[in-house]
Amino acid sequence: MNLTEQILHRKKQPQEGYSTKRTSAWAEVDAEGRLVLPPEVVQGFGLKPGAKMRLDEGENHFSLHRPLTQLTKIYVEPTVACNLDCITCFRNEWDQPLGRMNDATFARVLEGVQAMDPRPSVYFGGIGEPLFHPHTLDWIEQAKALGVKVELITNGTILNEKTSRRLIDSGLDMLWVSLDGASEETYADVRLGAELPRILKNLRRFVKMRPAGHYPKPELGIAFVAMKRNITDLPEVIRLGKSLMAKHFTVSNLQPATADMQEEVLYSQAMHNIAFLQGSHLPGLSLPKMDFDQTTREALFKAFNSQLNVKFAGNNWGGASDTCNYIENGTLSVAWTGDVSPCWPLMHTHTSYLHGKPRLSRKHVIGNVKDRSLEELWMNPEYVAYRERLHNFVFAPCSFCGGCDLSEQNEEDCLGNNEAPVCGGCLWAQGIIQCP
């Protein structure tokens, strides 16, 4: 077996229907000390001469991050309008115009996707309800015609039979549905104007309409925003999702958009503990896999809240902090106007609450797809430098501190960062808020 065959060899061949994405492969160091990567890794990560990748060293390994030059996913916001008034929505406390993307703007997005190699995936979502836009279904079909992965998130209220048929026939890869309660009362308490029985009826019909098989498409995902008022519904939401053959579940915390919603957050202690988990000098606790049951519940509960650096089966319980997953994952966001931003939270100026105070996050626009191509915007030297700053994440710890007035906006911080946006108060970067 030659070197290339060794590199591409897998211990176990994937079963039919499973992803063939490689989780491990062999590389070699040549005679001049250079690391030679497998050709499919080079192609899959869009590596070109001069590409920069951050290297992190572990106890017995090192990991390479995606190069700053690889664009993997584009979030497209068809509209900021919605047919519901959810208590979790930023629109409850902002002064932004309502509008929807036009065909010419999306055509520019599509041109950009087609021109890139490898082509990024497309995710339809944003502040509004994507299916509230009359052309979203057309755009999904156009994106799929380019052979890229396409995802959509919806509240499920207008997922009627005709819409379901078009989504299925389009080749949509992933349908995310927001489901923030398992009882009629809890669901209606969060998503004002929606009725859970109707949502479940729409989903059951959608699931039944998909082509039969062990791995039906589109795959179904459930997105849940956890709050004090609905967290006890999470096990039942998972049960409902499993009954609908959902393959993916994601839970996010709430970022309160109004003062009264601060009482609903579930991460006050977690933010304190995460601050303790930053230093490698802290005492460490390594736990093995074990049953989570009545016998272990109290002991493990206290261990996880011991303010030690906890590892569970070799993985850090606190997860990654000071990490922008939007940048790490190689994504960008396109608002309905065509404005391009580094991430979903920076598409619109909005207010949320942190440490009992309102925090104004001003939008950050790199450029507009109507003026420049996606590749030009993505590879703009200033934007590449910004992504490098975020990789290093040298911002003040506003998420944990909040002690000064500078934490009330995202324009500057106490470490001297004055090139907006500064991201020290971003809860996405601390693993507290997450999006599908």
Side-chain angles (χ1 to χ4, degrees), residues 17-18 174 214-216 219-222 241 244-249:
Y18 281 96
M174 185 74 192
H214 291 297
Y215 312 101
E219 293 181 354
L220 181 63
I222 304 297
L244 294 164
M245 300 175 63
K247 286 198 66 177
H248 307 273
F249 296 83

Side-chain angles (χ1 to χ4, degrees), residues 10 89 95 98 105 109 117 125 133 168 215 270 325 334 355 411:
R10 299 191 64 180
C89 187
D95 183 21
L98 294 179
T105 301
V109 174
D117 182 25
H133 193 299
I168 293 168
Y215 312 101
N325 286 322
V334 184
H355 301 298
E411 297 189 308

Side-chain angles (χ1 to χ4, degrees), residues 299-328:
L300 291 176
F301 173 81
K302 291 180 179 179
F304 289 139
N305 286 284
S306 62
Q307 296 184 355
L308 296 177
N309 194 338
V310 179
K311 287 186 178 181
F312 181 77
N315 296 300
N316 193 302
W317 177 255
S321 300
D322 290 347
T323 300
C324 177
N325 286 322
Y326 289 99
I327 298 300
E328 292 282 343

Side-chain angles (χ1 to χ4, degrees), residues 28-36:
E28 71 164 2
V29 177
D30 66 15
E32 298 181 22
R34 296 173 298 190
L35 184 66
V36 181

Side-chain angles (χ1 to χ4, degrees), residues 242-259:
K242 291 172 68 175
S243 74
L244 294 164
M245 300 175 63
K247 286 198 66 177
H248 307 273
F249 296 83
T250 180
V251 178
S252 177
N253 278 298
L254 165 75
Q255 185 168 33
T258 59

Side-chain angles (χ1 to χ4, degrees), residues 101-121:
M101 185 176 286
N102 59 40
D103 283 323
T105 301
F106 182 74
R108 290 287 294 165
V109 174
L110 210 62
E111 289 172 12
V113 172
Q114 187 173 16
M116 302 196 80
D117 182 25
R119 293 174 178 172
S121 65

Side-chain angles (χ1 to χ4, degrees), residues 17 149 152 172-176 206 210 215-221 245-248:
K149 179 181 179 181
L152 167 75
L172 179 72
D173 296 278
M174 185 74 192
L175 178 71
W176 288 98
F206 177 85
R210 295 184 302 179
Y215 312 101
K217 289 289 186 75
E219 293 181 354
L220 181 63
M245 300 175 63
K247 286 198 66 177
H248 307 273

Side-chain angles (χ1 to χ4, degrees), residues 187-251:
Y187 183 86
D189 187 40
V190 176
R191 297 194 166 265
L192 307 182
E195 299 176 352
L196 182 61
R198 178 183 173 188
I199 306 301
L200 295 179
K201 179 181 178 182
N202 290 347
L203 290 176
R204 291 185 179 112
R205 180 179 56 230
F206 177 85
V207 169
K208 192 173 182 179
M209 290 174 64
R210 295 184 302 179
H214 291 297
Y215 312 101
K217 289 289 186 75
E219 293 181 354
L220 181 63
I222 304 297
F224 180 86
V225 178
M227 297 167 276
K228 288 180 180 177
R229 67 177 65 198
N230 71 348
I231 187 61
T232 56
D233 276 27
L234 178 57
E236 183 63 15
V237 167
I238 294 173
R239 189 199 66 80
L240 280 173
K242 291 172 68 175
S243 74
L244 294 164
M245 300 175 63
K247 286 198 66 177
H248 307 273
F249 296 83
T250 180
V251 178

